[in-house]
Amino acid sequence: MSEPIRVLVTGAAGQIAYSLLYSIGNGSVFGKDQPIILVLLDITPMMGVLDGVLMELQDCALPLLKDVIATDKEDVAFKDLDVAILVGSMPRRDGMERKDLLKANVKIFKSQGAALEKYAKKSVKVIVVGNPANTNCLTACKSAPSIPKENFSCLTRLDHNRAKAQIALKLGVTSDDVKNVIIWGNHSSTQYPDVSHAKVKLQGKEVGVYDALKDDSWLKGEFITTVQQRGAAVIKARKLSSAMSAAKAICDHVRDIWFGTPEGEFVSMGIISDGNPYGVPDDLLYSFPVTIKNKTWKVVEGLTINDFSREKMDLTAKELAEEKETAFEFLSSA
């Protein structure tokens, strides 16, 4: 058995965490021989609920869980972390402007970034899930200057998985048969789900998705809007936001950081855009196709970008630049 790793989940009393914690505890993220000290952080009014989650984790009797710590204090939560999964954020309330949402979250992620800087290991891997995820991630990153920028990523894997699933459904295959879809940009309705480099396995042969489907108008229209608006569709149907699928995407994202991506496959995650080969401005937290090896991501190079893609990639970059500008006005005063 190896030494235990310390893994923090914030927003730990919430519904995404409720779907996530069991998977972390049972070894399906960090491996079946990796003991874990699981740290659960939430706000003070949620501590009663969090106690219930703690009881349930104890009752799962998971052999890999060496300890579970429930707290509302950042100095306890962020101490000596190996992995921080930042799920908790201020949700958008009815009648709330996106600007107000950004302001509330800048405060949270500035504080958590500072806590990472002060208490966590410098090698910590930070995954931001709470929305607006890209800009929250950038805020945390800026607030922890001594932790490498490359250690910060935000979740666009849910969008990636949604895109894979839509293609698989359309072709009557399983989503395992679809690979190398890309989510470019912001985890918002401007994201660009791109399948121009995606492959699908049909009758044992790998074919390009465009060739396999022969339905360009669907791929450039309804497919894109379905993926972009899937979160809203789930809320409309369930009256609650995506939790099971979000938790599954977090597991996929973190497992790939930990163990790497399969040969010949790439995945999507929001990362710092500095020096990227696709003309996206530096200093944005933007979703790219990446491969991962030795816990280090690398942007996939040499993908051809047609005019259709270029326009959509620029549009989501523009939104991210605007969000960043708004957030950073608040950052100096937060």
Side-chain angles (χ1 to χ4, degrees):
M1 277 285 190
S2 27
E3 279 292 295
I5 54 172
R6 283 181 87 91
V7 179
L8 166 68
V9 176
T10 71
Q15 56 149 2
I16 291 177
Y18 193 75
S19 289
L20 171 68
L21 295 169
Y22 177 72
S23 298
I24 293 174
N26 75 5
S28 40
V29 178
F30 297 103
K32 299 289 182 194
D33 53 2
Q34 178 57 67
I36 290 168
I37 295 167
L38 191 52
V39 189
L40 311 176
L41 176 71
D42 216 312
I43 54 176
T44 312
M46 296 304 288
M47 289 311 285
V49 177
L50 198 54
D51 272 341
V53 176
L54 176 67
M55 286 188 254
E56 282 209 69
L57 279 167
Q58 292 166 343
D59 298 349
C60 286
L62 295 162
L64 290 171
L65 272 192
K66 291 298 161 218
D67 196 8
V68 184
I69 299 157
T71 183
D72 56 356
K73 295 178 177 53
E74 286 185 344
D75 57 339
V76 176
F78 286 86
K79 192 163 175 43
D80 297 334
L81 290 181
D82 295 287
V83 179
I85 304 172
L86 308 182
V87 181
S89 65
M90 166 75 82
R92 193 169 186 163
R93 306 250 157 76
D94 268 354
M96 198 184 213
E97 290 291 319
R98 198 170 170 85
K99 206 168 173 164
D100 301 329
L101 184 70
L102 274 167
K103 188 175 185 174
N105 281 296
V106 163
K107 210 171 155 183
I108 296 169
F109 286 86
K110 181 182 183 180
S111 174
Q112 294 190 349
L116 283 162
E117 175 77 9
K118 193 169 175 186
Y119 302 111
K121 292 181 180 171
K122 296 305 174 200
S123 57
V124 66
K125 300 291 185 194
V126 183
I127 298 90
V128 176
V129 179
N131 283 322
N134 300 57
T135 300
N136 288 346
C137 188
L138 190 61
T139 302
C141 177
K142 295 281 182 195
S143 308
S146 70
I147 296 170
K149 286 178 185 179
E150 297 72 38
N151 290 20
F152 288 82
S153 59
C154 83
L155 188 77
T156 55
R157 186 59 169 268
L158 178 52
D159 310 301
H160 179 100
N161 288 351
R162 285 166 171 163
K164 264 175 78 153
Q166 287 302 313
I167 299 297
L169 283 165
K170 190 83 170 166
L171 284 166
V173 297
T174 68
S175 40
D176 242 18
D177 295 324
V178 181
K179 68 174 192 185
N180 298 353
V181 305
I182 301 167
I183 303 296
W184 298 100
N186 198 1
H187 172 65
S188 74
S189 58
T190 67
Q191 61 170 271
Y192 169 41
D194 176 13
V195 289
S196 45
H197 306 280
K199 302 261 189 282
V200 58
K201 204 183 278 166
L202 289 177
Q203 285 101 39
K205 272 210 322 276
E206 267 194 6
V207 220
V209 164
Y210 268 86
D211 295 337
L213 267 170
K214 298 184 176 54
D215 188 347
D216 290 19
S217 70
W218 182 77
L219 282 172
K220 289 184 164 172
E222 195 187 326
F223 162 71
I224 291 175
T225 51
T226 299
V227 176
Q228 286 174 333
Q229 293 161 17
R230 187 68 159 188
V234 171
I235 290 176
K236 193 164 180 247
R238 264 196 96 220
K239 312 291 179 269
L240 291 164
S241 56
S242 317
M244 180 173 31
S245 53
K248 157 68 164 60
I250 295 165
C251 291
D252 291 346
H253 178 120
V254 177
R255 189 189 311 109
D256 284 346
I257 289 177
W258 216 247
F259 293 107
T261 46
E263 196 60 45
E265 270 189 51
F266 49 77
V267 295
S268 307
M269 55 175 67
I271 51 168
I272 196 75
S273 60
D274 298 3
N276 74 86
Y278 295 107
V280 175
D282 281 355
D283 206 38
L284 292 177
L285 215 292
Y286 188 100
S287 180
F288 288 97
V290 299
T291 54
I292 304 166
K293 203 177 175 178
N294 303 324
K295 298 190 175 59
T296 307
W297 53 259
K298 196 169 173 298
V299 174
V300 176
E301 294 186 5
L303 300 172
T304 50
I305 306 296
N306 60 26
D307 293 345
F308 179 79
S309 293
R310 182 77 263 163
E311 191 183 328
K312 294 219 170 319
M313 287 164 68
D314 290 348
L315 185 76
T316 189
K318 184 172 173 284
E319 182 184 57
L320 279 169
E322 287 163 7
E323 268 189 32
K324 173 186 153 180
E325 201 182 325
T326 308
F328 285 17
E329 282 167 28
F330 299 134
L331 193 57
S332 47
S333 62

